[in-house]
Amino acid sequence: LQNDQLHLVYQPVVSAYNQQIVAVEALVRWQHPVHGAIAPSSLIPIAEDSGMIVDLGRWVLQTACRALRSWEGAPGLNSLAVAVNVSPSQLTHRGFVGDFDRILSESGVQPSRLLLEVTENVVALGDDMIELLSDLRSRGVRLALDDFGQGQTSLRYLRDLPLDVLKIDKAFVDAIDASPTDEAIVHAIVDLAHKLGIRVIAEGVEREDQLRILRGFSTDFLQGYLIHRPKGEAEMAELLGVSRPGRPTAVGVG
Ligand code: C2E
Ligand code: MG
Ligand code: MG
């Protein structure tokens, strides 16, 4: 952070019906001058353990909000959402809500343009955390449960968390075109989420067969290398048609 070695890449989330971009997920990258690219799977746990996740998370939110503002201006982009991953240890930091409000008001981003991605382990933090998430959501922020199906998945999370979106983990999406069991599980998850009024993003879509099956289940949104790989800010602007006004390329998540 101090040496300015971090940057964000953005991966589009598209509507399963018309492939229009509804949101972009911000993903952190660390390009170290000696050690090269350091993956988030190494960086994030260390940042969490050392407490640096608070500063890192603040920087991610700030940078993602600025990027969102920089993409505005082209027709159709006024409801594009930016998805930001937040760790439980960020949420438990007592300055979180204050930082959050300040960053949004400084950047001029409406809370409804933000999709916060949390994982199931936030529930382990107890009722206070559920209250905090409900509070954020009452300001208009959208809430997604990331990596659903991985780890300690429990249906309790669907009941207790104030969710707008469920992201089905790549591990389940991976085998839907090869395993009837996985196909049945994903189908049931999509149906259950819809019955609860929750929309579904399938993560890690890599093949046409997966795309076809997911559409058959009425999955709402898709994300994966087949559709778009994560892109730098400028490349994202080009994809969104920001540099070429007049080309409507994106609609909103809500
Ligand atoms: P995630 O939030 O579930 O993000 C999806 C991960 O899957 C990303 O990896 C993305 O690049 C990758 N991915 C997307 N589509 C495909 C696909 O079709 N095939 C394959 N093989 N992979 C795909 P990435 O960027 O390495 O991030 C890994 C995890 O690190 C993220 O998982 C998230 O939990 C965490 N992370 C990343 N950035 C941040 C951040 O700013 N803050 C926090 N707290 N966590 C972050
Ligand atoms: Mg995520
Ligand atoms: Mg995920």
Side-chain angles (χ1 to χ4, degrees):
L1 270 172
Q2 282 169 0
N3 298 339
D4 206 17
Q5 289 168 3
L6 300 181
H7 68 280
L8 294 183
V9 291
Y10 302 89
Q11 187 179 32
V13 175
V14 304
S15 155
Y17 308 104
N18 56 20
Q19 302 255 34
Q20 280 197 304
I21 298 170
V22 295
V24 292
E25 179 175 4
L27 297 161
V28 71
R29 295 289 178 265
W30 183 7
Q31 191 62 37
H32 190 280
V34 177
H35 303 295
I38 295 169
S41 54
S42 309
L43 166 63
I44 298 295
I46 295 169
E48 284 173 341
D49 289 346
S50 63
M52 285 185 219
I53 193 72
V54 173
D55 289 340
L56 186 136
R58 203 186 289 126
W59 177 85
V60 168
L61 185 62
Q62 232 156 18
T63 308
C65 284
R66 278 196 206 121
L68 185 68
R69 290 303 306 262
S70 82
W71 297 322
E72 276 172 358
L77 287 188
N78 291 333
S79 51
L80 180 77
V82 68
V84 173
N85 294 285
V86 285
S87 297
S89 40
Q90 281 175 263
L91 293 168
T92 50
H93 182 253
R94 57 190 162 69
F96 180 80
V97 175
D99 286 344
F100 181 88
D101 285 342
R102 186 178 46 78
I103 292 169
L104 259 70
S105 82
E106 278 173 10
S107 60
V109 166
Q110 294 297 317
S112 61
R113 309 279 301 276
L114 210 72
L115 184 69
L116 286 189
E117 298 197 2
V118 299
T119 47
E120 289 151 354
N121 43 14
V122 294
V123 180
L125 299 173
D127 292 344
D128 285 359
M129 197 44 56
I130 294 172
E131 209 169 295
L132 183 140
L133 294 172
S134 304
D135 181 39
L136 287 172
R137 196 162 169 263
S138 66
R139 302 161 193 226
V141 175
R142 253 75 71 83
L143 205 68
L145 186 58
D146 204 356
D147 304 338
F148 189 78
Q150 201 209 51
Q152 307 291 312
T153 292
S154 155
L155 295 179
R156 206 184 112 209
Y157 305 139
L158 294 185
R159 188 194 63 191
D160 294 348
L161 286 172
L163 295 175
D164 300 281
V165 174
L166 188 70
K167 298 189 78 169
I168 302 181
D169 191 66
K170 180 177 184 304
F172 270 111
V173 173
D174 259 344
I176 48 170
D177 52 348
S179 151
T181 306
D182 287 31
E183 185 180 344
I185 290 172
V186 171
H187 196 170
I189 294 173
V190 175
D191 283 350
L192 176 59
H194 284 169
K195 285 211 171 79
L196 297 170
I198 299 168
R199 308 240 247 161
V200 178
I201 299 175
E203 296 192 88
V205 181
E206 292 181 343
R207 294 181 296 279
E208 289 288 349
D209 282 345
Q210 295 172 320
L211 188 92
R212 187 179 41 74
I213 293 168
L214 288 163
R215 280 206 180 114
F217 296 165
S218 299
T219 309
D220 304 273
F221 308 111
L222 308 169
Q223 191 177 10
Y225 292 171
L226 177 70
I227 300 137
H228 293 293
R229 284 185 176 255
K231 294 168 198 303
E233 190 177 325
E235 206 187 340
M236 197 62 226
E238 204 170 306
L239 179 70
L240 291 168
V242 174
S243 47
R244 276 173 289 169
R247 220 184 56 179
T249 46
V251 295
V253 74

